[in-house]
Amino acid sequence: MIPVMDFGLQPLANDFCKEGEERAGYAPLKVLFCPRCTLAQLSIVVRPEILYSRYAYFTSTSQTIQNHFDTLAQDIMAETEGRELFEIGCNDGRGLRHFKDLGFAPVYGMDPAQNLCEVAKTRYGIDAICCFFSEKVQFPTLIGLKPDVVLARHVFCHVDNWAGFVRGLENVSRSDTLVCIEVPYAVDQLQTGSFDQCYHEHLSYLTLRAMVALLKDSQFHLHRIIRYNIHGGVILMMLRHNLSGIAPDASVQEFIAKEQVTETHWKDMDWKMRTSVTELQRLVFGATGCGKRVCAYGASAKATVLLNLCRFTKKQIAFVTDTTTTKLYRNVPGTDIPVVDEGALIREQPDYALLTAWNYEKEIITKEKWFNGKWIVPMPTVHVI
Ligand code: TYD
């Protein structure tokens, strides 16, 4: 494993706390690369109970995500007639509610965060079992039947024991179950240079080559790959059981043949991180030095990474706006920068807003048409709009 990126000591990206509340603390954030299977992973694993028992991230209700759910549902429906859907890491049930409205039934989920499972039930009427998914889950006794579709969106990269996870998938699937795993694609992340997607929850940065190596000894194989243009580029990996008798789609070989991920790509992103941080510091310190006010928009996990790398405090970034109530009036982890409601942008009219939720750039800039200041967009390269 070759060290390719080093972020130093970093706070946990979703550890939003009020003043005086006990924080989870800091941990080293380093990425290591395996040239043999092209998988990159973090050098350490923070205990999942610390990261996920009380989780501040809620599935986005943004239009971008609603549109993505529609596309995803269509792609799944085109692949199978089965409509019984089980979602691993269902978060607050927002996604399952959407899938239910589009015709999937019954739907049920699993998530380790107690606060999210309660919201799933009370707000969206979704049954969610509060538990980490693994091979140890006694799935049939908990739910009953085995589902037609198993969905895991942005969960796989958070898992340390992949072999155990795949054995869990084997336990919950019939030979005709369609398993759908959506992950940020390392190829896209490296191309955009979105270093801010590296944080303690993202234990690995997936390539298809690594996935093939993982599945070699399992009951599954890659069946179809679809790329979507959200969050800087993600892929949906459709897995089929080896006994399904369904031949893999041409997309699998096409994606694998094109896939180029090397140590140099990762080291280039490390260099890009350093130049972006310098550029952001120059812009923001320059602006505040002339008496201008700067805020940030979107208290995403990416914001925690970016603001900590730049060593900004509330002297530079007066506040960060966010729509998530569990983040409001708490500080961005590792900083004294407060998270406030979305309306603050228009009320306060700062001179600059750093778009830390850059993955929703189009939607946010369109929505915030009454903002008179300038946007600082950090990706793909730092620029001002
Ligand atoms: P997101 O990019 O979905 O995830 P991550 O935390 O994994 O980086 O986070 C986007 C954040 O931005 C989330 O906290 C919600 C917030 N947000 C707004 O405040 N307003 C908006 O209009 C949108 C689209 C997001």
Side-chain angles (χ1 to χ4, degrees):
M1 302 293 284
I2 304 165
V4 282
M5 291 195 83
D6 192 352
F7 295 75
L9 273 182
Q10 290 294 329
L12 307 186
N14 274 305
D15 187 30
F16 290 86
C17 294
K18 289 189 177 150
E19 288 293 345
E21 255 179 0
E22 197 184 339
R23 289 167 180 252
Y26 290 74
L29 186 58
K30 249 190 218 164
V31 183
L32 311 176
F33 177 73
C34 168
R36 213 154 50 112
C37 75
T38 71
L39 182 72
Q41 297 177 59
L42 294 191
S43 64
I44 59 138
V45 179
V46 175
R47 282 215 315 275
E49 305 81 65
I50 297 176
L51 290 172
Y52 302 115
S53 300
R54 184 187 63 87
Y55 200 40
Y57 180 78
F58 277 64
T59 300
S60 174
T61 50
S62 72
Q63 196 52 49
T64 313
I65 292 295
Q66 305 314 310
N67 296 347
H68 176 59
F69 285 154
D70 288 341
T71 315
L72 195 56
Q74 274 168 19
D75 287 337
I76 293 173
M77 284 173 159
E79 190 62 42
T80 174
E81 288 181 356
R83 295 290 176 260
E84 182 171 342
L85 174 76
F86 168 57
E87 186 178 15
I88 300 168
C90 64
N91 199 266
D92 65 355
R94 180 74 193 80
L96 277 175
R97 180 70 248 170
H98 200 103
F99 280 95
K100 198 170 179 182
D101 295 342
L102 292 173
F104 284 91
V107 300
Y108 35 85
M110 183 173 280
D111 200 281
Q114 186 70 44
N115 63 324
L116 295 176
C117 290
E118 277 161 24
V119 176
K121 184 80 206 156
T122 52
R123 191 182 302 165
Y124 298 116
I126 297 296
D127 287 322
I129 302 153
C130 186
C131 166
F132 280 103
F133 178 78
S134 77
E135 63 192 309
K136 294 190 193 117
V137 171
Q138 295 293 312
F139 189 80
T141 55
L142 281 173
I143 307 261
L145 292 170
K146 292 194 176 184
D148 300 309
V149 181
V150 176
L151 178 64
R153 290 192 59 248
H154 299 262
V155 173
F156 206 58
C157 295
H158 296 237
V159 173
D160 182 30
N161 181 357
W162 273 3
F165 191 90
V166 173
R167 279 194 293 274
L169 289 176
E170 289 170 349
N171 291 344
V172 303
S173 305
R174 303 185 308 249
S175 62
D176 59 346
T177 296
L178 176 71
V179 176
C180 295
I181 301 178
E182 185 183 295
V183 287
Y185 190 27
V187 171
D188 287 310
Q189 189 187 351
L190 291 165
Q191 217 155 49
T192 332
S194 46
F195 55 85
D196 53 355
Q197 297 205 56
C198 298
Y199 45 91
H200 299 104
E201 290 167 27
H202 288 169
L203 296 172
S204 50
Y205 303 88
L206 205 99
T207 60
L208 291 169
R209 270 163 220 255
M211 196 66 190
V212 169
L214 172 73
L215 294 179
K216 198 160 60 73
D217 300 321
S218 79
Q219 293 171 13
F220 296 106
H221 58 269
L222 285 172
H223 167 66
R224 188 171 171 207
I225 311 297
I226 306 177
R227 186 189 170 281
Y228 301 112
N229 204 15
I230 57 156
H231 300 313
V234 304
I235 47 167
L236 179 72
M237 299 181 289
M238 288 183 171
L239 270 50
R240 282 290 190 183
H241 202 280
N242 293 339
L243 300 176
S244 65
I246 305 173
D249 182 83
S251 56
V252 177
Q253 270 323 307
E254 282 164 18
F255 269 87
I256 293 175
K258 275 192 295 194
E259 193 173 81
Q260 273 283 338
V261 174
T262 62
E263 178 189 343
T264 313
H265 288 109
W266 275 97
K267 288 192 166 160
D268 285 351
M269 186 154 82
D270 187 69
W271 178 83
K272 194 222 156 170
M273 167 178 83
R274 285 159 214 285
T275 47
S276 297
V277 165
T278 310
E279 181 58 10
L280 280 171
Q281 286 174 327
R282 192 187 64 78
L283 271 171
V284 173
F285 281 108
T288 49
C290 307
K292 306 267 191 225
R293 253 183 125 210
V294 187
C295 80
Y297 195 102
S300 55
K302 297 183 281 292
T304 304
V305 178
L306 211 56
L307 298 175
N308 277 279
L309 281 174
C310 293
R311 298 182 191 276
F312 290 148
T313 67
K314 66 180 173 194
K315 281 195 192 131
Q316 288 79 43
I317 303 289
F319 55 86
V320 185
T321 66
D322 203 281
T323 45
T324 319
T325 46
T326 42
K327 294 179 185 174
L328 287 188
Y329 314 116
R330 292 174 158 83
N331 290 345
V332 173
T335 77
D336 59 354
I337 305 169
V339 182
V340 300
D341 65 288
E342 202 180 21
L345 183 79
I346 305 303
R347 276 199 313 274
E348 304 270 331
Q349 291 291 351
D351 300 284
Y352 292 93
L354 171 60
L355 188 55
T356 35
W358 53 263
N359 43 326
Y360 301 105
E361 175 178 342
K362 229 195 224 154
E363 180 176 344
I364 290 173
I365 294 186
T366 312
K367 182 169 70 170
E368 300 296 357
K369 55 179 178 292
W370 303 115
F371 172 49
N372 301 324
K374 291 185 174 156
W375 292 99
I376 303 174
V377 185
M379 296 290 161
T381 49
V382 179
H383 59 284
V384 178
I385 299 178

